[in-house]
Amino acid sequence: MTRTPHLILLAMPSIHAGAWRYPGAIPEFHSSFKQMKRFARTLEQGRFDGLFLPDTLALRQVSTQALARGHSTVTLDPLTLLPALAAVTQHIGLIATASTTYNEPYMLARRLATLDHISEGRAGWNLVTSSNANEAGNFGVAEHMEHGLRYARAREFSSVMNGLWD
């Protein structure tokens, strides 16, 4: 059987630091369900395959001035937002970023499985190990886990997740 090549189109909300200056920009875009719903529906109408939501669990170390004018400082939690978007879309894939360093397998497996059921099979997971050292403090951890340990944890974490889903 010959397979037809298929280009997968994914989109994510702009994270460019200067986008707030663009005429017509919506500064509250990343924290507005109304705007995210419009974005997801527009992507779906444009026949995109998926909406990808990047995420970080702490602010990066930048100047207060840069944070004040940054348009993506405040974002909605992907695993809360995507089930809501699943209810107002029909076909587009919904991909959430979630860290294996600062989550526990059972709870994350449950949340992603819930998204998968609500969306009728449109859920996706962008597995990350959290490169932002500032995230440790948000979880009561004195130091960010070393690179090699984070990746060893990620391998075990994804294996446990697959076992829970199976």
Side-chain angles (χ1 to χ4, degrees), residues 124-163:
W125 175 29
N126 175 40
L127 183 157
V128 298
T129 65
S130 293
S131 62
N132 182 354
N134 291 342
E135 295 180 9
N138 285 342
F139 293 88
V141 179
E143 289 188 27
H144 188 52
M145 191 181 295
E146 183 268 328
H147 181 274
L149 292 175
R150 288 195 324 269
Y151 279 80
R153 176 179 166 89
R155 283 187 291 279
E156 182 180 4
F157 195 108
S158 63
S159 175
V160 170
M161 295 271 287
N162 284 325

PDB file of all heavy atoms in Angstrom, residues 124-163:
ATOM      1  N   GLY A 124      -2.290  15.333  23.315  1.00  0.00           N
ATOM      2  CA  GLY A 124      -0.876  15.067  23.088  1.00  0.00           C
ATOM      3  C   GLY A 124      -0.074  15.616  24.252  1.00  0.00           C
ATOM      4  O   GLY A 124      -0.522  16.520  24.956  1.00  0.00           O
ATOM      5  N   TRP A 125       1.116  15.068  24.457  1.00  0.00           N
ATOM      6  CA  TRP A 125       1.966  15.485  25.574  1.00  0.00           C
ATOM      7  C   TRP A 125       3.347  15.856  25.066  1.00  0.00           C
ATOM      8  O   TRP A 125       4.012  15.041  24.413  1.00  0.00           O
ATOM      9  CB  TRP A 125       2.064  14.341  26.579  1.00  0.00           C
ATOM     10  CG  TRP A 125       2.986  14.553  27.738  1.00  0.00           C
ATOM     11  CD1 TRP A 125       3.335  15.732  28.342  1.00  0.00           C
ATOM     12  CD2 TRP A 125       3.678  13.532  28.465  1.00  0.00           C
ATOM     13  NE1 TRP A 125       4.188  15.512  29.396  1.00  0.00           N
ATOM     14  CE2 TRP A 125       4.413  14.163  29.493  1.00  0.00           C
ATOM     15  CE3 TRP A 125       3.735  12.151  28.351  1.00  0.00           C
ATOM     16  CZ2 TRP A 125       5.205  13.454  30.388  1.00  0.00           C
ATOM     17  CZ3 TRP A 125       4.514  11.439  29.250  1.00  0.00           C
ATOM     18  CH2 TRP A 125       5.237  12.098  30.258  1.00  0.00           C
ATOM     19  N   ASN A 126       3.766  17.062  25.361  1.00  0.00           N
ATOM     20  CA  ASN A 126       5.134  17.507  25.113  1.00  0.00           C
ATOM     21  C   ASN A 126       5.897  17.278  26.415  1.00  0.00           C
ATOM     22  O   ASN A 126       5.799  18.072  27.343  1.00  0.00           O
ATOM     23  CB  ASN A 126       5.147  18.985  24.714  1.00  0.00           C
ATOM     24  CG  ASN A 126       6.551  19.523  24.568  1.00  0.00           C
ATOM     25  OD1 ASN A 126       7.438  18.861  24.062  1.00  0.00           O
ATOM     26  ND2 ASN A 126       6.763  20.746  25.023  1.00  0.00           N
ATOM     27  N   LEU A 127       6.632  16.188  26.483  1.00  0.00           N
ATOM     28  CA  LEU A 127       7.385  15.815  27.675  1.00  0.00           C
ATOM     29  C   LEU A 127       8.631  16.694  27.769  1.00  0.00           C
ATOM     30  O   LEU A 127       9.424  16.751  26.844  1.00  0.00           O
ATOM     31  CB  LEU A 127       7.770  14.343  27.564  1.00  0.00           C
ATOM     32  CG  LEU A 127       8.515  13.693  28.710  1.00  0.00           C
ATOM     33  CD1 LEU A 127       8.299  12.202  28.673  1.00  0.00           C
ATOM     34  CD2 LEU A 127       9.985  14.024  28.755  1.00  0.00           C
ATOM     35  N   VAL A 128       8.764  17.405  28.896  1.00  0.00           N
ATOM     36  CA  VAL A 128       9.951  18.217  29.149  1.00  0.00           C
ATOM     37  C   VAL A 128      10.509  17.876  30.524  1.00  0.00           C
ATOM     38  O   VAL A 128       9.819  17.321  31.377  1.00  0.00           O
ATOM     39  CB  VAL A 128       9.661  19.742  29.061  1.00  0.00           C
ATOM     40  CG1 VAL A 128       9.186  20.129  27.671  1.00  0.00           C
ATOM     41  CG2 VAL A 128       8.666  20.175  30.118  1.00  0.00           C
ATOM     42  N   THR A 129      11.793  18.229  30.721  1.00  0.00           N
ATOM     43  CA  THR A 129      12.431  17.955  32.013  1.00  0.00           C
ATOM     44  C   THR A 129      12.694  19.222  32.815  1.00  0.00           C
ATOM     45  O   THR A 129      13.340  19.158  33.852  1.00  0.00           O
ATOM     46  CB  THR A 129      13.763  17.212  31.826  1.00  0.00           C
ATOM     47  OG1 THR A 129      14.664  18.071  31.133  1.00  0.00           O
ATOM     48  CG2 THR A 129      13.567  15.908  31.077  1.00  0.00           C
ATOM     49  N   SER A 130      12.201  20.353  32.349  1.00  0.00           N
ATOM     50  CA  SER A 130      12.350  21.645  33.035  1.00  0.00           C
ATOM     51  C   SER A 130      13.797  22.123  33.076  1.00  0.00           C
ATOM     52  O   SER A 130      14.544  21.810  33.984  1.00  0.00           O
ATOM     53  CB  SER A 130      11.799  21.591  34.463  1.00  0.00           C
ATOM     54  OG  SER A 130      10.411  21.413  34.452  1.00  0.00           O
ATOM     55  N   SER A 131      14.154  22.921  32.098  1.00  0.00           N
ATOM     56  CA  SER A 131      15.510  23.473  32.067  1.00  0.00           C
ATOM     57  C   SER A 131      15.636  24.756  32.896  1.00  0.00           C
ATOM     58  O   SER A 131      16.741  25.202  33.170  1.00  0.00           O
ATOM     59  CB  SER A 131      15.927  23.752  30.623  1.00  0.00           C
ATOM     60  OG  SER A 131      15.062  24.710  30.047  1.00  0.00           O
ATOM     61  N   ASN A 132      14.513  25.329  33.296  1.00  0.00           N
ATOM     62  CA  ASN A 132      14.503  26.576  34.059  1.00  0.00           C
ATOM     63  C   ASN A 132      14.754  26.291  35.550  1.00  0.00           C
ATOM     64  O   ASN A 132      13.876  25.795  36.249  1.00  0.00           O
ATOM     65  CB  ASN A 132      13.166  27.292  33.865  1.00  0.00           C
ATOM     66  CG  ASN A 132      13.072  28.620  34.566  1.00  0.00           C
ATOM     67  OD1 ASN A 132      13.969  29.021  35.315  1.00  0.00           O
ATOM     68  ND2 ASN A 132      11.968  29.308  34.349  1.00  0.00           N
ATOM     69  N   ALA A 133      15.929  26.616  36.032  1.00  0.00           N
ATOM     70  CA  ALA A 133      16.293  26.333  37.430  1.00  0.00           C
ATOM     71  C   ALA A 133      15.398  27.066  38.424  1.00  0.00           C
ATOM     72  O   ALA A 133      15.288  26.642  39.582  1.00  0.00           O
ATOM     73  CB  ALA A 133      17.751  26.699  37.671  1.00  0.00           C
ATOM     74  N   ASN A 134      14.746  28.152  38.021  1.00  0.00           N
ATOM     75  CA  ASN A 134      13.850  28.880  38.924  1.00  0.00           C
ATOM     76  C   ASN A 134      12.638  28.054  39.340  1.00  0.00           C
ATOM     77  O   ASN A 134      11.975  28.368  40.327  1.00  0.00           O
ATOM     78  CB  ASN A 134      13.367  30.175  38.265  1.00  0.00           C
ATOM     79  CG  ASN A 134      14.461  31.189  38.097  1.00  0.00           C
ATOM     80  OD1 ASN A 134      15.499  31.105  38.742  1.00  0.00           O
ATOM     81  ND2 ASN A 134      14.247  32.144  37.213  1.00  0.00           N
ATOM     82  N   GLU A 135      12.336  27.002  38.609  1.00  0.00           N
ATOM     83  CA  GLU A 135      11.170  26.181  38.920  1.00  0.00           C
ATOM     84  C   GLU A 135      11.320  25.442  40.246  1.00  0.00           C
ATOM     85  O   GLU A 135      10.333  25.197  40.934  1.00  0.00           O
ATOM     86  CB  GLU A 135      10.889  25.200  37.780  1.00  0.00           C
ATOM     87  CG  GLU A 135      10.491  25.917  36.502  1.00  0.00           C
ATOM     88  CD  GLU A 135      10.196  24.983  35.340  1.00  0.00           C
ATOM     89  OE1 GLU A 135      10.130  23.750  35.532  1.00  0.00           O
ATOM     90  OE2 GLU A 135      10.035  25.494  34.224  1.00  0.00           O
ATOM     91  N   ALA A 136      12.523  25.108  40.634  1.00  0.00           N
ATOM     92  CA  ALA A 136      12.748  24.345  41.870  1.00  0.00           C
ATOM     93  C   ALA A 136      12.114  25.033  43.075  1.00  0.00           C
ATOM     94  O   ALA A 136      11.429  24.386  43.883  1.00  0.00           O
ATOM     95  CB  ALA A 136      14.244  24.135  42.097  1.00  0.00           C
ATOM     96  N   GLY A 137      12.324  26.325  43.205  1.00  0.00           N
ATOM     97  CA  GLY A 137      11.792  27.057  44.345  1.00  0.00           C
ATOM     98  C   GLY A 137      10.285  27.039  44.434  1.00  0.00           C
ATOM     99  O   GLY A 137       9.720  27.074  45.542  1.00  0.00           O
ATOM    100  N   ASN A 138       9.597  26.947  43.305  1.00  0.00           N
ATOM    101  CA  ASN A 138       8.134  26.903  43.313  1.00  0.00           C
ATOM    102  C   ASN A 138       7.597  25.577  43.845  1.00  0.00           C
ATOM    103  O   ASN A 138       6.407  25.445  44.092  1.00  0.00           O
ATOM    104  CB  ASN A 138       7.578  27.163  41.912  1.00  0.00           C
ATOM    105  CG  ASN A 138       7.681  28.614  41.537  1.00  0.00           C
ATOM    106  OD1 ASN A 138       7.845  29.483  42.385  1.00  0.00           O
ATOM    107  ND2 ASN A 138       7.582  28.899  40.252  1.00  0.00           N
ATOM    108  N   PHE A 139       8.484  24.606  43.999  1.00  0.00           N
ATOM    109  CA  PHE A 139       8.079  23.292  44.497  1.00  0.00           C
ATOM    110  C   PHE A 139       8.779  22.939  45.810  1.00  0.00           C
ATOM    111  O   PHE A 139       8.841  21.771  46.198  1.00  0.00           O
ATOM    112  CB  PHE A 139       8.324  22.224  43.419  1.00  0.00           C
ATOM    113  CG  PHE A 139       7.428  22.426  42.239  1.00  0.00           C
ATOM    114  CD1 PHE A 139       7.805  23.256  41.197  1.00  0.00           C
ATOM    115  CD2 PHE A 139       6.172  21.844  42.203  1.00  0.00           C
ATOM    116  CE1 PHE A 139       6.966  23.487  40.120  1.00  0.00           C
ATOM    117  CE2 PHE A 139       5.320  22.068  41.136  1.00  0.00           C
ATOM    118  CZ  PHE A 139       5.721  22.900  40.094  1.00  0.00           C
ATOM    119  N   GLY A 140       9.331  23.956  46.459  1.00  0.00           N
ATOM    120  CA  GLY A 140       9.966  23.748  47.752  1.00  0.00           C
ATOM    121  C   GLY A 140      11.252  22.962  47.691  1.00  0.00           C
ATOM    122  O   GLY A 140      11.673  22.355  48.673  1.00  0.00           O
ATOM    123  N   VAL A 141      11.902  22.964  46.542  1.00  0.00           N
ATOM    124  CA  VAL A 141      13.151  22.228  46.349  1.00  0.00           C
ATOM    125  C   VAL A 141      14.294  23.235  46.340  1.00  0.00           C
ATOM    126  O   VAL A 141      14.226  24.247  45.649  1.00  0.00           O
ATOM    127  CB  VAL A 141      13.115  21.429  45.023  1.00  0.00           C
ATOM    128  CG1 VAL A 141      14.403  20.684  44.786  1.00  0.00           C
ATOM    129  CG2 VAL A 141      11.923  20.484  45.003  1.00  0.00           C
ATOM    130  N   ALA A 142      15.332  22.962  47.106  1.00  0.00           N
ATOM    131  CA  ALA A 142      16.444  23.905  47.236  1.00  0.00           C
ATOM    132  C   ALA A 142      17.221  24.080  45.931  1.00  0.00           C
ATOM    133  O   ALA A 142      17.619  25.184  45.585  1.00  0.00           O
ATOM    134  CB  ALA A 142      17.389  23.467  48.355  1.00  0.00           C
ATOM    135  N   GLU A 143      17.459  22.979  45.209  1.00  0.00           N
ATOM    136  CA  GLU A 143      18.245  23.058  43.977  1.00  0.00           C
ATOM    137  C   GLU A 143      17.554  22.315  42.848  1.00  0.00           C
ATOM    138  O   GLU A 143      16.912  21.285  43.062  1.00  0.00           O
ATOM    139  CB  GLU A 143      19.637  22.451  44.193  1.00  0.00           C
ATOM    140  CG  GLU A 143      20.531  23.291  45.078  1.00  0.00           C
ATOM    141  CD  GLU A 143      21.951  22.746  45.113  1.00  0.00           C
ATOM    142  OE1 GLU A 143      22.366  22.098  44.131  1.00  0.00           O
ATOM    143  OE2 GLU A 143      22.630  22.968  46.122  1.00  0.00           O
ATOM    144  N   HIS A 144      17.726  22.838  41.651  1.00  0.00           N
ATOM    145  CA  HIS A 144      17.196  22.202  40.447  1.00  0.00           C
ATOM    146  C   HIS A 144      17.961  20.905  40.192  1.00  0.00           C
ATOM    147  O   HIS A 144      19.188  20.856  40.327  1.00  0.00           O
ATOM    148  CB  HIS A 144      17.377  23.181  39.295  1.00  0.00           C
ATOM    149  CG  HIS A 144      16.718  22.779  38.012  1.00  0.00           C
ATOM    150  ND1 HIS A 144      15.393  22.417  37.932  1.00  0.00           N
ATOM    151  CD2 HIS A 144      17.208  22.704  36.746  1.00  0.00           C
ATOM    152  CE1 HIS A 144      15.103  22.141  36.674  1.00  0.00           C
ATOM    153  NE2 HIS A 144      16.179  22.303  35.936  1.00  0.00           N
ATOM    154  N   MET A 145      17.246  19.862  39.844  1.00  0.00           N
ATOM    155  CA  MET A 145      17.860  18.563  39.595  1.00  0.00           C
ATOM    156  C   MET A 145      18.857  18.642  38.432  1.00  0.00           C
ATOM    157  O   MET A 145      18.574  19.271  37.415  1.00  0.00           O
ATOM    158  CB  MET A 145      16.751  17.549  39.282  1.00  0.00           C
ATOM    159  CG  MET A 145      17.194  16.115  39.258  1.00  0.00           C
ATOM    160  SD  MET A 145      15.825  14.976  38.838  1.00  0.00           S
ATOM    161  CE  MET A 145      14.734  15.188  40.223  1.00  0.00           C
ATOM    162  N   GLU A 146      19.984  18.000  38.585  1.00  0.00           N
ATOM    163  CA  GLU A 146      21.041  17.976  37.572  1.00  0.00           C
ATOM    164  C   GLU A 146      20.512  17.333  36.280  1.00  0.00           C
ATOM    165  O   GLU A 146      19.661  16.458  36.298  1.00  0.00           O
ATOM    166  CB  GLU A 146      22.231  17.194  38.171  1.00  0.00           C
ATOM    167  CG  GLU A 146      23.450  17.130  37.308  1.00  0.00           C
ATOM    168  CD  GLU A 146      23.477  15.891  36.412  1.00  0.00           C
ATOM    169  OE1 GLU A 146      22.968  14.819  36.778  1.00  0.00           O
ATOM    170  OE2 GLU A 146      24.005  16.026  35.303  1.00  0.00           O
ATOM    171  N   HIS A 147      21.054  17.782  35.152  1.00  0.00           N
ATOM    172  CA  HIS A 147      20.608  17.384  33.819  1.00  0.00           C
ATOM    173  C   HIS A 147      20.468  15.873  33.661  1.00  0.00           C
ATOM    174  O   HIS A 147      19.423  15.365  33.239  1.00  0.00           O
ATOM    175  CB  HIS A 147      21.582  17.945  32.772  1.00  0.00           C
ATOM    176  CG  HIS A 147      21.218  17.617  31.367  1.00  0.00           C
ATOM    177  ND1 HIS A 147      21.588  16.441  30.754  1.00  0.00           N
ATOM    178  CD2 HIS A 147      20.522  18.316  30.453  1.00  0.00           C
ATOM    179  CE1 HIS A 147      21.132  16.427  29.522  1.00  0.00           C
ATOM    180  NE2 HIS A 147      20.485  17.561  29.306  1.00  0.00           N
ATOM    181  N   GLY A 148      21.509  15.126  33.975  1.00  0.00           N
ATOM    182  CA  GLY A 148      21.479  13.667  33.807  1.00  0.00           C
ATOM    183  C   GLY A 148      20.404  13.009  34.652  1.00  0.00           C
ATOM    184  O   GLY A 148      19.721  12.083  34.195  1.00  0.00           O
ATOM    185  N   LEU A 149      20.227  13.471  35.870  1.00  0.00           N
ATOM    186  CA  LEU A 149      19.182  12.923  36.749  1.00  0.00           C
ATOM    187  C   LEU A 149      17.789  13.252  36.224  1.00  0.00           C
ATOM    188  O   LEU A 149      16.880  12.427  36.307  1.00  0.00           O
ATOM    189  CB  LEU A 149      19.347  13.466  38.171  1.00  0.00           C
ATOM    190  CG  LEU A 149      20.581  12.992  38.931  1.00  0.00           C
ATOM    191  CD1 LEU A 149      20.692  13.701  40.281  1.00  0.00           C
ATOM    192  CD2 LEU A 149      20.518  11.477  39.137  1.00  0.00           C
ATOM    193  N   ARG A 150      17.614  14.472  35.689  1.00  0.00           N
ATOM    194  CA  ARG A 150      16.309  14.845  35.123  1.00  0.00           C
ATOM    195  C   ARG A 150      15.936  13.915  33.970  1.00  0.00           C
ATOM    196  O   ARG A 150      14.797  13.481  33.846  1.00  0.00           O
ATOM    197  CB  ARG A 150      16.312  16.300  34.632  1.00  0.00           C
ATOM    198  CG  ARG A 150      16.324  17.325  35.729  1.00  0.00           C
ATOM    199  CD  ARG A 150      15.966  18.728  35.261  1.00  0.00           C
ATOM    200  NE  ARG A 150      16.425  19.134  33.956  1.00  0.00           N
ATOM    201  CZ  ARG A 150      17.572  19.751  33.702  1.00  0.00           C
ATOM    202  NH1 ARG A 150      18.413  20.020  34.684  1.00  0.00           N
ATOM    203  NH2 ARG A 150      17.891  20.103  32.467  1.00  0.00           N
ATOM    204  N   TYR A 151      16.926  13.592  33.133  1.00  0.00           N
ATOM    205  CA  TYR A 151      16.633  12.739  31.980  1.00  0.00           C
ATOM    206  C   TYR A 151      16.430  11.280  32.393  1.00  0.00           C
ATOM    207  O   TYR A 151      15.608  10.577  31.795  1.00  0.00           O
ATOM    208  CB  TYR A 151      17.689  12.911  30.886  1.00  0.00           C
ATOM    209  CG  TYR A 151      17.381  14.139  30.074  1.00  0.00           C
ATOM    210  CD1 TYR A 151      17.732  15.401  30.541  1.00  0.00           C
ATOM    211  CD2 TYR A 151      16.678  14.059  28.885  1.00  0.00           C
ATOM    212  CE1 TYR A 151      17.412  16.549  29.830  1.00  0.00           C
ATOM    213  CE2 TYR A 151      16.346  15.191  28.160  1.00  0.00           C
ATOM    214  CZ  TYR A 151      16.715  16.440  28.639  1.00  0.00           C
ATOM    215  OH  TYR A 151      16.380  17.561  27.933  1.00  0.00           O
ATOM    216  N   ALA A 152      17.128  10.823  33.393  1.00  0.00           N
ATOM    217  CA  ALA A 152      16.892   9.472  33.917  1.00  0.00           C
ATOM    218  C   ALA A 152      15.485   9.396  34.506  1.00  0.00           C
ATOM    219  O   ALA A 152      14.758   8.421  34.296  1.00  0.00           O
ATOM    220  CB  ALA A 152      17.940   9.122  34.974  1.00  0.00           C
ATOM    221  N   ARG A 153      15.098  10.429  35.253  1.00  0.00           N
ATOM    222  CA  ARG A 153      13.743  10.484  35.813  1.00  0.00           C
ATOM    223  C   ARG A 153      12.702  10.505  34.686  1.00  0.00           C
ATOM    224  O   ARG A 153      11.675   9.832  34.764  1.00  0.00           O
ATOM    225  CB  ARG A 153      13.577  11.709  36.705  1.00  0.00           C
ATOM    226  CG  ARG A 153      12.156  11.893  37.247  1.00  0.00           C
ATOM    227  CD  ARG A 153      12.039  13.116  38.146  1.00  0.00           C
ATOM    228  NE  ARG A 153      10.663  13.476  38.386  1.00  0.00           N
ATOM    229  CZ  ARG A 153       9.912  13.009  39.371  1.00  0.00           C
ATOM    230  NH1 ARG A 153      10.420  12.140  40.230  1.00  0.00           N
ATOM    231  NH2 ARG A 153       8.664  13.400  39.514  1.00  0.00           N
ATOM    232  N   ALA A 154      12.971  11.256  33.617  1.00  0.00           N
ATOM    233  CA  ALA A 154      12.024  11.353  32.500  1.00  0.00           C
ATOM    234  C   ALA A 154      11.799   9.996  31.841  1.00  0.00           C
ATOM    235  O   ALA A 154      10.670   9.650  31.483  1.00  0.00           O
ATOM    236  CB  ALA A 154      12.517  12.369  31.484  1.00  0.00           C
ATOM    237  N   ARG A 155      12.873   9.210  31.684  1.00  0.00           N
ATOM    238  CA  ARG A 155      12.727   7.879  31.076  1.00  0.00           C
ATOM    239  C   ARG A 155      11.845   6.991  31.948  1.00  0.00           C
ATOM    240  O   ARG A 155      10.926   6.330  31.457  1.00  0.00           O
ATOM    241  CB  ARG A 155      14.094   7.234  30.853  1.00  0.00           C
ATOM    242  CG  ARG A 155      14.838   7.783  29.641  1.00  0.00           C
ATOM    243  CD  ARG A 155      16.111   7.006  29.340  1.00  0.00           C
ATOM    244  NE  ARG A 155      17.149   7.200  30.358  1.00  0.00           N
ATOM    245  CZ  ARG A 155      17.955   8.255  30.410  1.00  0.00           C
ATOM    246  NH1 ARG A 155      17.862   9.209  29.511  1.00  0.00           N
ATOM    247  NH2 ARG A 155      18.863   8.364  31.347  1.00  0.00           N
ATOM    248  N   GLU A 156      12.114   6.973  33.242  1.00  0.00           N
ATOM    249  CA  GLU A 156      11.298   6.165  34.158  1.00  0.00           C
ATOM    250  C   GLU A 156       9.864   6.698  34.211  1.00  0.00           C
ATOM    251  O   GLU A 156       8.899   5.935  34.195  1.00  0.00           O
ATOM    252  CB  GLU A 156      11.908   6.153  35.561  1.00  0.00           C
ATOM    253  CG  GLU A 156      11.118   5.303  36.527  1.00  0.00           C
ATOM    254  CD  GLU A 156      11.718   5.275  37.932  1.00  0.00           C
ATOM    255  OE1 GLU A 156      12.715   5.973  38.191  1.00  0.00           O
ATOM    256  OE2 GLU A 156      11.165   4.541  38.776  1.00  0.00           O
ATOM    257  N   PHE A 157       9.722   8.005  34.272  1.00  0.00           N
ATOM    258  CA  PHE A 157       8.422   8.664  34.342  1.00  0.00           C
ATOM    259  C   PHE A 157       7.551   8.268  33.151  1.00  0.00           C
ATOM    260  O   PHE A 157       6.380   7.882  33.313  1.00  0.00           O
ATOM    261  CB  PHE A 157       8.652  10.179  34.354  1.00  0.00           C
ATOM    262  CG  PHE A 157       7.497  11.016  34.761  1.00  0.00           C
ATOM    263  CD1 PHE A 157       7.487  11.654  36.001  1.00  0.00           C
ATOM    264  CD2 PHE A 157       6.427  11.235  33.927  1.00  0.00           C
ATOM    265  CE1 PHE A 157       6.432  12.470  36.374  1.00  0.00           C
ATOM    266  CE2 PHE A 157       5.369  12.044  34.288  1.00  0.00           C
ATOM    267  CZ  PHE A 157       5.377  12.662  35.523  1.00  0.00           C
ATOM    268  N   SER A 158       8.107   8.358  31.943  1.00  0.00           N
ATOM    269  CA  SER A 158       7.310   8.032  30.749  1.00  0.00           C
ATOM    270  C   SER A 158       6.953   6.547  30.707  1.00  0.00           C
ATOM    271  O   SER A 158       5.858   6.175  30.268  1.00  0.00           O
ATOM    272  CB  SER A 158       8.029   8.460  29.470  1.00  0.00           C
ATOM    273  OG  SER A 158       9.235   7.779  29.310  1.00  0.00           O
ATOM    274  N   SER A 159       7.838   5.701  31.215  1.00  0.00           N
ATOM    275  CA  SER A 159       7.533   4.271  31.291  1.00  0.00           C
ATOM    276  C   SER A 159       6.373   4.004  32.265  1.00  0.00           C
ATOM    277  O   SER A 159       5.453   3.240  31.970  1.00  0.00           O
ATOM    278  CB  SER A 159       8.787   3.508  31.730  1.00  0.00           C
ATOM    279  OG  SER A 159       8.489   2.155  31.917  1.00  0.00           O
ATOM    280  N   VAL A 160       6.409   4.688  33.405  1.00  0.00           N
ATOM    281  CA  VAL A 160       5.325   4.549  34.392  1.00  0.00           C
ATOM    282  C   VAL A 160       4.011   5.074  33.789  1.00  0.00           C
ATOM    283  O   VAL A 160       2.958   4.458  33.950  1.00  0.00           O
ATOM    284  CB  VAL A 160       5.680   5.276  35.707  1.00  0.00           C
ATOM    285  CG1 VAL A 160       4.471   5.356  36.638  1.00  0.00           C
ATOM    286  CG2 VAL A 160       6.841   4.565  36.407  1.00  0.00           C
ATOM    287  N   MET A 161       4.083   6.216  33.113  1.00  0.00           N
ATOM    288  CA  MET A 161       2.880   6.783  32.491  1.00  0.00           C
ATOM    289  C   MET A 161       2.270   5.790  31.496  1.00  0.00           C
ATOM    290  O   MET A 161       1.066   5.560  31.509  1.00  0.00           O
ATOM    291  CB  MET A 161       3.217   8.090  31.761  1.00  0.00           C
ATOM    292  CG  MET A 161       3.670   9.214  32.650  1.00  0.00           C
ATOM    293  SD  MET A 161       2.343  10.228  33.271  1.00  0.00           S
ATOM    294  CE  MET A 161       1.887  11.137  31.825  1.00  0.00           C
ATOM    295  N   ASN A 162       3.105   5.209  30.643  1.00  0.00           N
ATOM    296  CA  ASN A 162       2.592   4.224  29.678  1.00  0.00           C
ATOM    297  C   ASN A 162       1.952   3.037  30.379  1.00  0.00           C
ATOM    298  O   ASN A 162       0.917   2.539  29.951  1.00  0.00           O
ATOM    299  CB  ASN A 162       3.704   3.771  28.737  1.00  0.00           C
ATOM    300  CG  ASN A 162       4.032   4.804  27.696  1.00  0.00           C
ATOM    301  OD1 ASN A 162       3.156   5.515  27.217  1.00  0.00           O
ATOM    302  ND2 ASN A 162       5.299   4.911  27.350  1.00  0.00           N
ATOM    303  N   GLY A 163       2.560   2.587  31.468  1.00  0.00           N
ATOM    304  CA  GLY A 163       1.983   1.490  32.246  1.00  0.00           C
ATOM    305  C   GLY A 163       0.628   1.861  32.833  1.00  0.00           C
ATOM    306  O   GLY A 163      -0.304   1.049  32.816  1.00  0.00           O
TER     307      GLY A 163
END
